[in-house]
Amino acid sequence: MPKNRLITRRHALHLGLGTLATMGALANSCSLNRQLPVKALDDSEKSERDLMVVRDAPLKDHAAAKGLIYGAAALTYYLKQDEEFAASIAQECGMLVPGLELKWKALRPSPDSFKFGAADWLAEFAQTHGMLFRGHTLVWHQATPKWFKEVLNRQNAEKILLEHIAKVAGHYAGKMHSWDVVNEAIEPDHERSDGLRNSRWLRLLGPDYIDLAFRATAEADPKAMLVYNDYGLDNDTPKDEARRVATLKLLERLKSKGTPVHALGTQAHLWAKDSTALNFKKLKTFLRDVADMGLKILVTELDVKDNHLPQDIQTRDRDVAKAYEDYISAVLEEPAVIAVLTWGLSDRYTWRSHFPRKDKAAVRPLPLDKQMKRKLTWNAMTRAFDQAPVR
Ligand code: G3I
């Protein structure tokens, strides 16, 4: 957490789960504090942390004021049918990433066909609303079409991979801020010395499938930032430490080969209950090690799981908000971090609803609630952006 940033408590207004009207009133009353830096409360005070909002502007503006990008994942299906959600995405986000539409399962109904309609609709939505667009993902072991297992073999895997990348990255060439070229290639539990996941891609093509994918993407879209994206890089656990070590090893190997990798995407699917498991010193050292390779860093899929928190919404929302503020504040101390994206924007549409709480209460992992109202997490994110050093 940023140090030595003071705000007098009399200025700090505790903002509950207010409506926008409340937000407006408080934002005006807080605007006098616009120039005041904000103190990060230490552990002893966390229980009463004031999640004061300094100004009532969209998340994208709070981020942009510091040279950062804020965005979110969304699905064509929901944006098309839900005007309120579409308006919130357009209002809050400076970048859009398809949650499904650029994965093989959505794009490739058969070995010789491509279905770009849904992803093209998102690209157009982004353009219409002045948003950046990022691609997710060209190579992953999941979300593959049924024919993938039946058709792919040692003889044709490279050809099929290269054709896919040339076609898909080529289709959006010049329009993509960045691509998650390869997603989740690390799996230390597979006990390979290089820490790589023993995926079908690896079994058919060997570890060099990763280098191949980056080179093919660079050729198809020389303008896009090429990202290696993975999860489990956050917590102070042996498993996450092994994942961080394997990720650094992979990035170093790619850089040593001259592979055109430009950034690390850290998904950051966090647990509010385990936010104490976040060792910010270790996290920042890892990010610094990545930056020292000349790479940028994007937080690509941030959300906070509240399944293990009490059912009470005020308590849950507060703990989730603290996890967002603590994590974002910590990672933004690393100048190489250029973007924070949440995996969804509203609790109305979150993948985490596929993993229900034991008490069956609706999960609340995102900045807006199901009614598209800004939550304490929204406050916390604006504070973290406002506290961040300018890029
Ligand atoms: O839309 C269909 C629905 O019509 C059908 O009835 C239902 C039952 O099969 O499936 C629905 O599609 C599901 C889709 O999500 C929309 O909810 C797919 O089965 C399901 O596989 C898909 O899961 C997505 C998953 O990636 C796999 O693509 C999640 O929404 C998406 O949030 C998740 O995102 C991943 C990132 O790509 C990588 N990082 C982790 C992250 C979370 O798992």
mmCIF file of all heavy atoms in Angstrom, residues 323-350:
data_model
loop_
_atom_site.group_PDB
_atom_site.id
_atom_site.type_symbol
_atom_site.label_atom_id
_atom_site.label_comp_id
_atom_site.label_asym_id
_atom_site.label_seq_id
_atom_site.Cartn_x
_atom_site.Cartn_y
_atom_site.Cartn_z
ATOM 1 N N ALA A 323 -9.765 -5.762 -0.765
ATOM 2 C CA ALA A 323 -8.874 -6.605 -1.572
ATOM 3 C C ALA A 323 -8.543 -5.907 -2.893
ATOM 4 O O ALA A 323 -7.384 -5.873 -3.330
ATOM 5 C CB ALA A 323 -9.517 -7.971 -1.815
ATOM 6 N N TYR A 324 -9.570 -5.301 -3.517
ATOM 7 C CA TYR A 324 -9.312 -4.556 -4.765
ATOM 8 C C TYR A 324 -8.353 -3.398 -4.513
ATOM 9 O O TYR A 324 -7.371 -3.204 -5.236
ATOM 10 C CB TYR A 324 -10.630 -3.996 -5.309
ATOM 11 C CG TYR A 324 -11.394 -4.882 -6.269
ATOM 12 C CD1 TYR A 324 -12.346 -5.785 -5.801
ATOM 13 C CD2 TYR A 324 -11.185 -4.802 -7.645
ATOM 14 C CE1 TYR A 324 -13.060 -6.590 -6.678
ATOM 15 C CE2 TYR A 324 -11.906 -5.592 -8.531
ATOM 16 C CZ TYR A 324 -12.847 -6.489 -8.049
ATOM 17 O OH TYR A 324 -13.565 -7.289 -8.923
ATOM 18 N N GLU A 325 -8.639 -2.615 -3.464
ATOM 19 C CA GLU A 325 -7.801 -1.412 -3.255
ATOM 20 C C GLU A 325 -6.376 -1.801 -2.929
ATOM 21 O O GLU A 325 -5.413 -1.248 -3.470
ATOM 22 C CB GLU A 325 -8.371 -0.537 -2.137
ATOM 23 C CG GLU A 325 -7.568 0.745 -1.948
ATOM 24 C CD GLU A 325 -8.216 1.727 -0.983
ATOM 25 O OE1 GLU A 325 -8.955 1.299 -0.071
ATOM 26 O OE2 GLU A 325 -7.974 2.946 -1.168
ATOM 27 N N ASP A 326 -6.227 -2.813 -2.042
ATOM 28 C CA ASP A 326 -4.870 -3.221 -1.654
ATOM 29 C C ASP A 326 -4.097 -3.761 -2.845
ATOM 30 O O ASP A 326 -2.935 -3.408 -3.071
ATOM 31 C CB ASP A 326 -4.949 -4.299 -0.559
ATOM 32 C CG ASP A 326 -5.418 -3.728 0.768
ATOM 33 O OD1 ASP A 326 -5.501 -2.479 0.872
ATOM 34 O OD2 ASP A 326 -5.712 -4.513 1.689
ATOM 35 N N TYR A 327 -4.754 -4.607 -3.657
ATOM 36 C CA TYR A 327 -4.044 -5.239 -4.780
ATOM 37 C C TYR A 327 -3.685 -4.206 -5.847
ATOM 38 O O TYR A 327 -2.528 -4.106 -6.280
ATOM 39 C CB TYR A 327 -4.902 -6.351 -5.397
ATOM 40 C CG TYR A 327 -4.240 -6.998 -6.592
ATOM 41 C CD1 TYR A 327 -3.282 -7.998 -6.409
ATOM 42 C CD2 TYR A 327 -4.534 -6.597 -7.880
ATOM 43 C CE1 TYR A 327 -2.640 -8.583 -7.503
ATOM 44 C CE2 TYR A 327 -3.894 -7.170 -8.988
ATOM 45 C CZ TYR A 327 -2.954 -8.160 -8.782
ATOM 46 O OH TYR A 327 -2.319 -8.725 -9.862
ATOM 47 N N ILE A 328 -4.675 -3.411 -6.248
ATOM 48 C CA ILE A 328 -4.415 -2.431 -7.316
ATOM 49 C C ILE A 328 -3.369 -1.410 -6.859
ATOM 50 O O ILE A 328 -2.435 -1.085 -7.594
ATOM 51 C CB ILE A 328 -5.715 -1.730 -7.743
ATOM 52 C CG1 ILE A 328 -6.691 -2.733 -8.348
ATOM 53 C CG2 ILE A 328 -5.410 -0.619 -8.759
ATOM 54 C CD1 ILE A 328 -8.064 -2.141 -8.672
ATOM 55 N N SER A 329 -3.480 -0.949 -5.621
ATOM 56 C CA SER A 329 -2.487 0.020 -5.116
ATOM 57 C C SER A 329 -1.088 -0.572 -5.154
ATOM 58 O O SER A 329 -0.126 0.085 -5.551
ATOM 59 C CB SER A 329 -2.835 0.423 -3.676
ATOM 60 O OG SER A 329 -4.094 1.034 -3.636
ATOM 61 N N ALA A 330 -0.983 -1.826 -4.756
ATOM 62 C CA ALA A 330 0.339 -2.471 -4.730
ATOM 63 C C ALA A 330 0.912 -2.624 -6.138
ATOM 64 O O ALA A 330 2.056 -2.235 -6.406
ATOM 65 C CB ALA A 330 0.236 -3.839 -4.045
ATOM 66 N N VAL A 331 0.115 -3.146 -7.071
ATOM 67 C CA VAL A 331 0.675 -3.408 -8.409
ATOM 68 C C VAL A 331 0.956 -2.108 -9.164
ATOM 69 O O VAL A 331 1.887 -2.027 -9.963
ATOM 70 C CB VAL A 331 -0.226 -4.357 -9.239
ATOM 71 C CG1 VAL A 331 -0.402 -5.695 -8.554
ATOM 72 C CG2 VAL A 331 -1.559 -3.718 -9.585
ATOM 73 N N LEU A 332 0.183 -1.062 -8.876
ATOM 74 C CA LEU A 332 0.405 0.197 -9.608
ATOM 75 C C LEU A 332 1.645 0.943 -9.117
ATOM 76 O O LEU A 332 2.043 1.948 -9.695
ATOM 77 C CB LEU A 332 -0.833 1.087 -9.552
ATOM 78 C CG LEU A 332 -2.037 0.559 -10.338
ATOM 79 C CD1 LEU A 332 -3.170 1.589 -10.338
ATOM 80 C CD2 LEU A 332 -1.655 0.205 -11.781
ATOM 81 N N GLU A 333 2.249 0.436 -8.048
ATOM 82 C CA GLU A 333 3.550 1.016 -7.656
ATOM 83 C C GLU A 333 4.635 0.600 -8.640
ATOM 84 O O GLU A 333 5.704 1.194 -8.684
ATOM 85 C CB GLU A 333 3.909 0.567 -6.225
ATOM 86 C CG GLU A 333 3.053 1.244 -5.161
ATOM 87 C CD GLU A 333 3.484 0.880 -3.743
ATOM 88 O OE1 GLU A 333 4.648 0.487 -3.562
ATOM 89 O OE2 GLU A 333 2.635 0.969 -2.846
ATOM 90 N N GLU A 334 4.333 -0.422 -9.451
ATOM 91 C CA GLU A 334 5.263 -0.881 -10.508
ATOM 92 C C GLU A 334 4.931 -0.089 -11.777
ATOM 93 O O GLU A 334 3.860 -0.283 -12.378
ATOM 94 C CB GLU A 334 5.116 -2.375 -10.740
ATOM 95 C CG GLU A 334 5.873 -2.902 -11.953
ATOM 96 C CD GLU A 334 7.320 -2.414 -12.023
ATOM 97 O OE1 GLU A 334 8.088 -2.736 -11.108
ATOM 98 O OE2 GLU A 334 7.662 -1.688 -12.979
ATOM 99 N N PRO A 335 5.850 0.791 -12.239
ATOM 100 C CA PRO A 335 5.550 1.645 -13.403
ATOM 101 C C PRO A 335 5.255 0.854 -14.675
ATOM 102 O O PRO A 335 4.600 1.364 -15.577
ATOM 103 C CB PRO A 335 6.842 2.451 -13.567
ATOM 104 C CG PRO A 335 7.556 2.370 -12.264
ATOM 105 C CD PRO A 335 7.163 1.069 -11.635
ATOM 106 N N ALA A 336 5.704 -0.407 -14.737
ATOM 107 C CA ALA A 336 5.497 -1.190 -15.973
ATOM 108 C C ALA A 336 4.045 -1.641 -16.119
ATOM 109 O O ALA A 336 3.640 -2.098 -17.186
ATOM 110 C CB ALA A 336 6.427 -2.400 -15.984
ATOM 111 N N VAL A 337 3.270 -1.519 -15.043
ATOM 112 C CA VAL A 337 1.846 -1.901 -15.124
ATOM 113 C C VAL A 337 1.098 -0.795 -15.856
ATOM 114 O O VAL A 337 1.092 0.351 -15.421
ATOM 115 C CB VAL A 337 1.248 -2.129 -13.724
ATOM 116 C CG1 VAL A 337 -0.257 -2.459 -13.829
ATOM 117 C CG2 VAL A 337 1.974 -3.268 -13.013
ATOM 118 N N ILE A 338 0.467 -1.163 -16.985
ATOM 119 C CA ILE A 338 -0.148 -0.130 -17.832
ATOM 120 C C ILE A 338 -1.675 -0.221 -17.883
ATOM 121 O O ILE A 338 -2.346 0.695 -18.360
ATOM 122 C CB ILE A 338 0.386 -0.244 -19.280
ATOM 123 C CG1 ILE A 338 0.046 -1.605 -19.890
ATOM 124 C CG2 ILE A 338 1.874 0.064 -19.344
ATOM 125 C CD1 ILE A 338 0.292 -1.698 -21.385
ATOM 126 N N ALA A 339 -2.223 -1.347 -17.389
ATOM 127 C CA ALA A 339 -3.678 -1.508 -17.525
ATOM 128 C C ALA A 339 -4.209 -2.410 -16.421
ATOM 129 O O ALA A 339 -3.504 -3.325 -15.956
ATOM 130 C CB ALA A 339 -4.015 -2.118 -18.885
ATOM 131 N N VAL A 340 -5.435 -2.128 -16.012
ATOM 132 C CA VAL A 340 -6.171 -2.999 -15.081
ATOM 133 C C VAL A 340 -7.526 -3.289 -15.716
ATOM 134 O O VAL A 340 -8.271 -2.345 -16.042
ATOM 135 C CB VAL A 340 -6.376 -2.312 -13.712
ATOM 136 C CG1 VAL A 340 -7.265 -3.192 -12.821
ATOM 137 C CG2 VAL A 340 -5.029 -2.041 -13.030
ATOM 138 N N LEU A 341 -7.768 -4.572 -15.962
ATOM 139 C CA LEU A 341 -9.063 -4.976 -16.504
ATOM 140 C C LEU A 341 -9.735 -5.920 -15.526
ATOM 141 O O LEU A 341 -9.063 -6.776 -14.911
ATOM 142 C CB LEU A 341 -8.898 -5.691 -17.859
ATOM 143 C CG LEU A 341 -8.334 -4.827 -18.990
ATOM 144 C CD1 LEU A 341 -6.903 -5.231 -19.277
ATOM 145 C CD2 LEU A 341 -9.161 -4.935 -20.249
ATOM 146 N N THR A 342 -11.034 -5.759 -15.356
ATOM 147 C CA THR A 342 -11.777 -6.703 -14.525
ATOM 148 C C THR A 342 -12.466 -7.718 -15.435
ATOM 149 O O THR A 342 -12.796 -7.382 -16.581
ATOM 150 C CB THR A 342 -12.834 -5.968 -13.671
ATOM 151 O OG1 THR A 342 -13.564 -5.047 -14.493
ATOM 152 C CG2 THR A 342 -12.169 -5.196 -12.529
ATOM 153 N N TRP A 343 -12.635 -8.928 -14.912
ATOM 154 C CA TRP A 343 -13.257 -9.961 -15.737
ATOM 155 C C TRP A 343 -14.761 -9.890 -15.560
ATOM 156 O O TRP A 343 -15.375 -10.607 -14.805
ATOM 157 C CB TRP A 343 -12.697 -11.343 -15.368
ATOM 158 C CG TRP A 343 -12.921 -12.357 -16.463
ATOM 159 C CD1 TRP A 343 -13.728 -13.455 -16.410
ATOM 160 C CD2 TRP A 343 -12.351 -12.347 -17.779
ATOM 161 N NE1 TRP A 343 -13.675 -14.127 -17.604
ATOM 162 C CE2 TRP A 343 -12.853 -13.478 -18.472
ATOM 163 C CE3 TRP A 343 -11.463 -11.507 -18.452
ATOM 164 C CZ2 TRP A 343 -12.504 -13.782 -19.788
ATOM 165 C CZ3 TRP A 343 -11.094 -11.789 -19.758
ATOM 166 C CH2 TRP A 343 -11.624 -12.911 -20.420
ATOM 167 N N GLY A 344 -15.320 -8.899 -16.263
ATOM 168 C CA GLY A 344 -16.716 -8.511 -16.099
ATOM 169 C C GLY A 344 -16.757 -7.152 -15.414
ATOM 170 O O GLY A 344 -15.754 -6.686 -14.865
ATOM 171 N N LEU A 345 -17.935 -6.528 -15.401
ATOM 172 C CA LEU A 345 -18.075 -5.210 -14.761
ATOM 173 C C LEU A 345 -19.141 -5.260 -13.671
ATOM 174 O O LEU A 345 -19.024 -4.627 -12.623
ATOM 175 C CB LEU A 345 -18.476 -4.157 -15.804
ATOM 176 C CG LEU A 345 -18.747 -2.732 -15.279
ATOM 177 C CD1 LEU A 345 -17.472 -2.103 -14.701
ATOM 178 C CD2 LEU A 345 -19.318 -1.834 -16.386
ATOM 179 N N SER A 346 -20.187 -6.044 -13.923
ATOM 180 C CA SER A 346 -21.329 -6.101 -12.999
ATOM 181 C C SER A 346 -21.565 -7.515 -12.500
ATOM 182 O O SER A 346 -21.420 -8.493 -13.242
ATOM 183 C CB SER A 346 -22.588 -5.619 -13.730
ATOM 184 O OG SER A 346 -23.754 -6.113 -13.090
ATOM 185 N N ASP A 347 -22.006 -7.604 -11.235
ATOM 186 C CA ASP A 347 -22.343 -8.913 -10.646
ATOM 187 C C ASP A 347 -23.480 -9.597 -11.393
ATOM 188 O O ASP A 347 -23.706 -10.795 -11.211
ATOM 189 C CB ASP A 347 -22.759 -8.734 -9.178
ATOM 190 C CG ASP A 347 -21.628 -8.164 -8.323
ATOM 191 O OD1 ASP A 347 -20.450 -8.345 -8.701
ATOM 192 O OD2 ASP A 347 -21.931 -7.509 -7.308
ATOM 193 N N ARG A 348 -24.145 -8.837 -12.269
ATOM 194 C CA ARG A 348 -25.248 -9.442 -13.035
ATOM 195 C C ARG A 348 -24.684 -10.505 -13.984
ATOM 196 O O ARG A 348 -25.348 -11.489 -14.265
ATOM 197 C CB ARG A 348 -25.979 -8.355 -13.836
ATOM 198 C CG ARG A 348 -27.256 -8.803 -14.543
ATOM 199 C CD ARG A 348 -27.920 -7.673 -15.337
ATOM 200 N NE ARG A 348 -28.400 -6.588 -14.503
ATOM 201 C CZ ARG A 348 -28.992 -5.489 -14.980
ATOM 202 N NH1 ARG A 348 -29.162 -5.338 -16.285
ATOM 203 N NH2 ARG A 348 -29.418 -4.535 -14.182
ATOM 204 N N TYR A 349 -23.460 -10.267 -14.462
ATOM 205 C CA TYR A 349 -22.843 -11.223 -15.394
ATOM 206 C C TYR A 349 -21.406 -11.517 -14.929
ATOM 207 O O TYR A 349 -20.493 -10.744 -15.212
ATOM 208 C CB TYR A 349 -22.800 -10.649 -16.819
ATOM 209 C CG TYR A 349 -24.134 -10.186 -17.330
ATOM 210 C CD1 TYR A 349 -24.362 -8.843 -17.637
ATOM 211 C CD2 TYR A 349 -25.203 -11.077 -17.477
ATOM 212 C CE1 TYR A 349 -25.604 -8.405 -18.100
ATOM 213 C CE2 TYR A 349 -26.438 -10.644 -17.940
ATOM 214 C CZ TYR A 349 -26.633 -9.313 -18.250
ATOM 215 O OH TYR A 349 -27.856 -8.885 -18.705
ATOM 216 N N THR A 350 -21.233 -12.528 -14.164
ATOM 217 C CA THR A 350 -19.891 -12.920 -13.742
ATOM 218 C C THR A 350 -19.740 -14.428 -13.873
ATOM 219 O O THR A 350 -20.644 -15.186 -13.513
ATOM 220 C CB THR A 350 -19.593 -12.506 -12.286
ATOM 221 O OG1 THR A 350 -18.355 -13.119 -11.868
ATOM 222 C CG2 THR A 350 -20.704 -12.922 -11.324
#
